[in-house]
Amino acid sequence: MLVLLQPIGLIEKTVLDYLSENLSKVYLNIDFLVAEPVSLNERFFDKSRGQYFSPLILAFLRRYADELVPHNYDKILGIMNADAYSNGLNFVFGEAELGGRVAIVYLKRLSTAFYGLSENYQLFLLRCLKEAVHELGHTLGLRHCAVRRCVMHFSNSIIDTDFKDYRFCGRCSRILGSRGITVAAF
């Protein structure tokens, strides 16, 4: 399986390299390739909220996957340094099509600086990894998990993201294994 890491806007090379390298350590039989960045126009941004509307961005990625990107990519994970929301949610760290082809991770709220704290780049990178693993898990058909340490547990706040592991619980790893996906479990 091949997953395209698709930067939307400018994303630091260190973030993309970190994700590419470490996603391969979690999804053991999936390859990751970093694409050239693409940009979005203003229609994706909700000026009244000061946030991007995530369902529009997922629709863009789906169209992009179907029409513009060569079809040799099984999944596309968008990465965007922005704040976003979705239907019924004030914000999202990411969003994905359950069992679908596309997902996205939003980096803005993963930074310690967003919460008025001094910058902790290693923690930021780990949060990026957790959210990327989580959203790709959804594209592979996994729903949210009740095990609080599992990467598939729903993050209602950054505290939840920090508490959970970047790997899968035994149950989630067995489900993926039954689908031919080998993953790291805790």
Side-chain angles (χ1 to χ4, degrees):
M1 182 177 289
L2 183 58
V3 174
L4 184 68
L5 301 180
Q6 179 60 67
I8 300 174
L10 295 178
I11 305 295
E12 290 182 32
K13 184 178 180 332
T14 54
V15 172
L16 297 170
D17 290 346
Y18 177 87
L19 286 175
S20 180
E21 178 183 337
N22 287 283
L23 284 167
S24 295
K25 293 177 182 176
V26 177
Y27 290 102
L28 303 176
N29 60 344
I30 297 178
D31 294 316
F32 295 88
L33 181 67
V34 177
E36 291 298 316
V38 296
S39 58
L40 299 177
N41 62 37
E42 289 299 309
R43 77 178 182 91
F44 298 91
F45 188 72
D46 185 332
K47 291 178 186 171
S48 68
R49 293 179 62 117
Q51 294 174 293
Y52 284 85
F53 186 52
S54 188
L56 280 180
I57 296 171
L58 275 181
F60 164 80
L61 284 173
R62 188 178 323 106
R63 219 171 22 261
Y64 184 72
D66 292 342
E67 297 172 9
L68 303 176
V69 176
H71 290 286
N72 56 341
Y73 301 107
D74 298 289
K75 309 280 183 192
I76 295 179
L77 176 64
I79 303 157
M80 188 173 180
N81 190 16
D83 189 18
Y85 73 100
S86 191
N87 297 315
L89 297 170
N90 291 329
F91 71 90
V92 290
F93 296 124
E95 193 168 15
E97 293 179 330
L98 184 63
R101 193 165 179 218
V102 298
I104 186 155
V105 173
Y106 300 102
L107 305 183
K108 192 71 135 192
R109 289 179 184 256
L110 301 178
S111 168
T112 52
F114 181 85
Y115 303 95
L117 303 172
S118 60
E119 190 61 50
N120 182 336
Y121 199 67
Q122 286 307 114
L123 180 58
F124 168 71
L125 290 174
L126 183 57
R127 288 170 172 175
C128 293
L129 176 63
K130 289 177 184 183
E131 292 306 320
V133 171
H134 179 95
E135 298 307 336
L136 282 173
H138 284 316
T139 68
L140 295 167
L142 290 180
R143 297 185 180 276
H144 287 138
C145 180
V147 177
R148 289 189 63 224
R149 297 285 295 163
C150 181
V151 72
M152 291 310 298
H153 188 76
F154 177 71
S155 289
N156 197 42
S157 71
I158 200 66
I159 294 167
D160 295 326
T161 299
D162 288 343
F163 182 77
K164 67 185 177 182
D165 202 282
Y166 65 92
R167 296 167 296 179
F168 296 91
C169 69
R171 180 186 156 277
C172 288
S173 64
R174 283 189 298 279
I175 290 170
L176 289 175
S178 72
R179 298 173 183 166
I181 307 295
T182 307
V183 297
F186 59 85

